Amino acid sequence: MTVDQNTLRRRGTGLIAHDPDRSHGGYTLYTPITSTGVIHLVDIEGRPVHTWNSPHPPGRQAQLLPNGNLFYAAKDTDGPTLFPIWDVYHGGIFQELAPDSTVLREVRHPFHHHDASVLRNGNLIITAVEPLSPADAARVRGGIPGSEAPGGVIYGDVVYELTWDGEVVWRWAAIEHLDPGEVPLGRHFAREHWPMANTVNERADGSLLVGFRSASTTVAVDRADGSVLWSVGPDVLAQQHHPHELPGGTVLVFDNGTYRDTTSVPYSRVLELDPRTGEQVWSYVDNPPQNFFSPYMSSAQRLPNGNTFIAEGSFGRLFEVTPGGDVVWEFVVPEFRSFGEGVGLESSGGAQNSVFRAYRYDAEQLPWL
């Protein structure tokens, strides 16, 4: 018998565990990061129930809109390469897809990376980059010495509000509102990109949450004047992903923990925080903690019954936990594929089933199903 040489796939894929009495149920949406453009929906038994197909590979992720259509942030493979790993995490194409994969509308931005979503007003909010001036680049602290982009350039994060016609109607630049001396890059990260945003989304009051992985910092931004309302930094977070506001005003975040200063053992956790104090309201950590770890990507979602749906993104492991931390559903993404040779860093090599995020939906959010 030939042994499968992919370690993750050899351990088992598809539905791993299900406690129907305690699981919230519903349908799970995921987008393999190495996909050619196929987005998957499975039921609570892990059975495929629907796919969307785009001619473009994912920039990062897809999610359902309130009308039941799909918002897909795809990758423009013809765009510029700013630095080697840019080809892994840039996007550039935003589509609304009907259930039959018809493209209902589309807009592009060449310097988009990581996150994008649809605001309540119907416009898009996206993360992008602009090159810093030499003077501003000199202010950036931390990172790996000599690891700037070609020509010594450092790209700074910006957030754009974009219409579906491609017009930028609002702009926020990190360099204009954050002090690089107070928001330094972690020492393991390249200086080509500061502070490396991976998340932007809208809060109930219309302000924005923006998360910066390479600086282990999440901020709330006032849309009126761009000021930072509050900040949670590396004394609490470690290379976090997907901070977003819950209905009560707390923030749920996947804290990756690749380089956590307080321990020699890397492990991930999901935190619910009071954003103004950094106090933990709730957390999920495995026992032992290193059994749950994703060095990059990943997400968490609070479900209506109080459970939390988690994507351990690097390893394609999707699972649901109770408030007490019991796992009541687990599924491992079965689609494995390689990025291809010479793309990005060593972590981009080989066949993998990683996902940037995943989402759980109830049947009423899928009226066409």
Side-chain angles (χ1 to χ4, degrees):
M1 177 179 171
T2 301
V3 175
D4 188 339
Q5 294 304 302
N6 186 288
T7 300
L8 295 183
R9 190 167 51 207
R10 190 170 60 245
R11 292 174 180 171
T13 62
L15 186 68
I16 303 297
H18 181 208
D19 180 345
D21 292 331
R22 294 199 289 169
S23 168
H24 175 69
Y27 297 84
T28 297
L29 180 77
Y30 66 88
T31 309
I33 204 67
T34 59
S35 165
T36 58
V38 182
I39 303 100
H40 301 261
L41 187 72
V42 298
D43 66 16
I44 202 63
E45 298 298 333
R47 296 172 298 216
V49 294
H50 192 74
T51 57
W52 292 259
N53 294 273
S54 170
H56 308 289
R60 293 279 94 176
Q61 53 125 7
Q63 60 190 102
L64 287 177
L65 296 172
N67 62 9
N69 291 334
L70 190 79
F71 174 68
Y72 180 48
K75 186 185 298 292
D76 183 356
T77 55
D78 295 326
T81 297
L82 304 182
F83 38 84
I85 201 173
W86 179 255
D87 285 342
V88 173
Y89 64 58
H90 84 275
I93 302 174
F94 314 104
Q95 297 180 321
E96 182 177 348
L97 303 180
D100 65 358
S101 299
T102 299
V103 178
L104 302 175
R105 50 184 177 172
E106 175 182 305
V107 64
R108 302 190 179 205
H109 194 286
F111 299 113
H112 161 255
H113 68 90
H114 283 92
D115 207 8
S117 59
V118 180
L119 297 168
R120 289 191 293 272
N121 66 9
N123 289 342
L124 304 175
I125 197 76
I126 71 170
T127 51
V129 293
E130 296 176 359
L132 298 180
S133 70
D136 282 334
R139 298 167 56 207
V140 173
R141 298 290 178 258
I144 301 168
S147 60
E148 290 82 1
V153 174
I154 296 178
Y155 289 89
D157 281 308
V158 291
V159 175
Y160 297 131
E161 180 180 348
L162 194 67
T163 70
W164 283 94
D165 293 324
E167 180 186 1
V168 174
V169 295
W170 185 84
R171 172 187 173 275
W172 182 89
I175 195 65
E176 297 171 6
H177 298 279
L178 299 176
D179 182 347
E182 296 179 0
V183 188
L185 293 169
R187 64 186 182 90
H188 299 88
F189 295 98
R191 288 175 53 80
E192 61 204 6
H193 187 173
W194 172 87
M196 221 292 277
N198 59 31
T199 304
V200 63
N201 52 63
E202 189 175 21
R203 301 173 70 212
D205 65 3
S207 62
L208 300 176
L209 275 187
V210 189
F212 303 102
R213 177 188 182 231
S214 298
S216 295
T217 298
T218 291
V219 302
V221 174
D222 189 326
R223 293 285 301 283
D225 60 8
S227 62
V228 174
L229 301 171
W230 52 255
S231 174
V232 179
D235 56 328
V236 176
L237 301 172
Q239 301 80 56
Q240 78 292 329
H241 282 73
H242 196 216
H244 60 281
E245 186 179 63
L246 297 180
T250 56
V251 170
L252 192 67
V253 57
F254 190 105
D255 190 46
N256 294 75
T258 311
Y259 307 113
R260 190 176 288 116
D261 288 340
T262 55
T263 179
S264 62
V265 178
Y267 64 89
S268 296
R269 57 186 183 168
V270 176
L271 301 177
E272 182 182 350
L273 303 173
D274 179 333
R276 296 194 176 273
T277 66
E279 178 186 358
Q280 295 182 28
V281 177
W282 177 86
S283 67
Y284 170 76
V285 179
D286 207 338
N287 184 23
Q290 66 269 21
N291 284 1
F292 168 44
F293 176 56
S294 178
Y296 47 87
M297 301 189 292
S298 307
S299 62
Q301 174 189 353
R302 181 61 46 79
L303 300 176
N305 72 342
N307 287 356
T308 301
F309 174 66
I310 301 169
E312 189 179 359
S314 301
F315 307 115
R317 177 178 174 242
L318 317 178
F319 63 105
E320 177 186 349
V321 301
T322 66
D326 290 347
V327 173
V328 294
W329 187 86
E330 183 175 1
F331 176 90
V332 175
V333 170
E335 290 82 17
F336 284 76
R337 189 171 177 271
S338 173
F339 279 107
E341 295 301 319
V343 177
L345 304 178
E346 66 273 11
S347 58
S348 303
Q352 52 188 280
N353 65 339
S354 54
V355 297
F356 182 60
R357 289 184 195 149
Y359 297 91
R360 177 72 63 80
Y361 295 101
D362 292 332
E364 56 265 29
Q365 295 172 282
L366 297 153
W368 45 264
L369 189 62

